[in-house]
Amino acid sequence: MKIVIGNDHAATALKMEIMEYVKSLGHEVINIGTDSIERCDYPVYGKWVGRAVVSGDADCGILICGTGVGMAIAANKVKGVRAGVCSDTATARLMKEHNNANVLAFGARIVGPELAKDIVRTYLEAEFSGGRHQERINMFRDIEEGKEGDA
Ligand code: RB5
């Protein structure tokens, strides 16, 4: 798969490690994050990763900042993005199986490198379950398009 990775200054070291790990799993990596530890603005990278995924330039995205939260919020502002923050492997699997998350976010100040790698591998290997979950994904689209749902 082609995976776009974005990060801010809080996550530069972990991003480097995760990039190498993702490549070792046989994936192609597009690095659009900062390679510096100079302070920068995480919403920009969240937006760029979201756009790369929605445009089809990448199959999915990985975002790493201090907590993962700010970047996930930014990415979710891009129509079509389903970004989730994750600190454990069960959530990493379920966010793909149930939510078909197309962007995985986590925090370099929250998870250590080994857990981060397990989270990434679990997320990349998991598959969307479809079925009733697809109906709920369609409801995300309805929200984005301002359509009234059943509820
Ligand atoms: C940067 O200090 C920090 O706010 C950022 O990396 C992230 O945690 C935001 O959600």
Side-chain angles (χ1 to χ4, degrees), residues 34-54:
T34 181
D35 290 339
S36 159
I37 54 168
E38 289 281 314
R39 192 170 297 147
C40 62
D41 297 322
Y42 60 81
V44 175
Y45 300 100
K47 176 180 71 180
W48 285 346
V49 163
R51 286 182 179 169
V53 171
V54 168

Side-chain angles (χ1 to χ4, degrees), residues 19-145:
M19 271 201 320
E20 291 315 307
Y21 181 65
V22 169
K23 284 182 199 165
S24 79
L25 296 176
H27 302 289
E28 186 181 331
V29 171
I30 307 167
N31 172 24
I32 57 93
T34 181
D35 290 339
S36 159
I37 54 168
E38 289 281 314
R39 192 170 297 147
C40 62
D41 297 322
Y42 60 81
V44 175
Y45 300 100
K47 176 180 71 180
W48 285 346
V49 163
R51 286 182 179 169
V53 171
V54 168
S55 70
D57 288 346
D59 296 299
C60 61
I62 296 176
L63 287 171
I64 323 171
C65 59
T67 60
V69 174
M71 285 191 144
I73 291 173
N76 277 319
K77 302 290 180 195
V78 178
K79 199 172 172 182
V81 169
R82 295 178 300 279
V85 184
C86 181
S87 308
D88 64 275
T89 52
T91 305
R93 177 174 57 79
L94 287 165
M95 68 193 277
K96 180 73 79 59
E97 289 181 354
H98 288 194
N99 314 116
N100 202 12
N102 50 14
V103 176
L104 166 71
F106 52 88
R109 294 173 179 159
I110 308 297
V111 298
E114 293 311 312
L115 177 55
K117 287 177 200 169
D118 283 350
I119 286 170
V120 166
R121 193 188 65 249
T122 302
Y123 168 78
L124 293 176
E125 287 177 355
E127 287 181 18
F128 179 48
S129 304
R132 70 183 189 282
H133 299 294
Q134 181 58 54
E135 293 166 26
R136 293 162 184 159
I137 303 303
N138 295 345
M139 293 171 84
F140 292 149
R141 193 194 51 213
D142 289 348
I143 294 168
E144 286 176 336
E145 293 177 358

